[in-house]
Amino acid sequence: MKNILIITGSPRKNGNSALLAKAFMEGAERAGNKVTLFDAAKKKVHPCIACDICLTKGRCVYNDDFSELIPTLEEADVIVLATLLYWFTFSAQLKLVIDRMYSLQLQNKKSVLIVSAATDDMKDFEGVVSTYGLIHTHLEWKNRAILNVPNVNGIGEVMDTDWLEKAKEIGLTI
């Protein structure tokens, strides 16, 4: 059994990336894993201000909803980042969480990236995939999967595709 943490960043209730994350979660739970979902869009996470107090005191100066996520991040074997593509990268809600992860020692995790987008141009995913790659290279994470889902803009459009099944399959095999 693995501890899997899914961090979503969609501001839309039942948005496409959230639905993909839930499909992944269903597969991962069916495979016998413990899965925790953290919905960054519904949480209060203060932006990192680069004060570096976390490096000297061992904790961030802010006591917000990110604090509740810290033990789960540290215990996770797999971290899944699920986002809509917004200006060629992560949503702001998810980026706040990623920035705050700076204060933690999260080396040697496995990771998955799930991205949904309105675009049909796969080149538009290059920014988020590149940033994700730099994160997992820096933290010595092992990428397990990248799922880039094009052509889904309206809430729930992904339900009319086979992408949910693909997300579930990744969860089953993680």
Side-chain angles (χ1 to χ4, degrees), residues 58-125:
R59 60 180 164 72
C60 183
V61 296
Y62 297 109
N63 186 18
D64 56 14
D65 290 340
F66 182 80
S67 298
E68 76 186 47
L69 182 60
I70 292 171
T72 309
L73 274 165
E74 292 174 337
E75 294 169 8
D77 301 304
V78 181
I79 297 175
V80 180
L81 304 174
T83 186
L84 62 145
L85 187 66
Y86 196 79
W87 282 100
F88 312 104
T89 193
F90 298 99
S91 69
Q93 293 82 354
L94 182 54
K95 184 68 168 70
L96 287 171
V97 171
I98 292 169
D99 287 350
R100 291 282 295 283
M101 287 170 30
Y102 168 79
S103 66
L104 305 172
Q105 300 297 316
L106 297 174
Q107 279 75 18
N108 301 312
K109 306 281 185 184
K110 292 182 175 102
S111 60
V112 174
L113 176 65
I114 300 172
V115 184
S116 66
T119 185
D120 63 353
D121 188 346
M122 296 307 286
K123 285 181 65 176
D124 290 345
F125 290 90

Side-chain angles (χ1 to χ4, degrees), residues 126-146:
E126 290 175 5
V128 70
V129 170
S130 176
T131 301
Y132 167 75
L134 292 167
I135 291 167
H136 77 76
T137 297
H138 176 73
L139 294 174
E140 300 173 0
W141 289 1
K142 291 186 171 100
N143 175 48
R144 292 299 309 263
I146 296 174

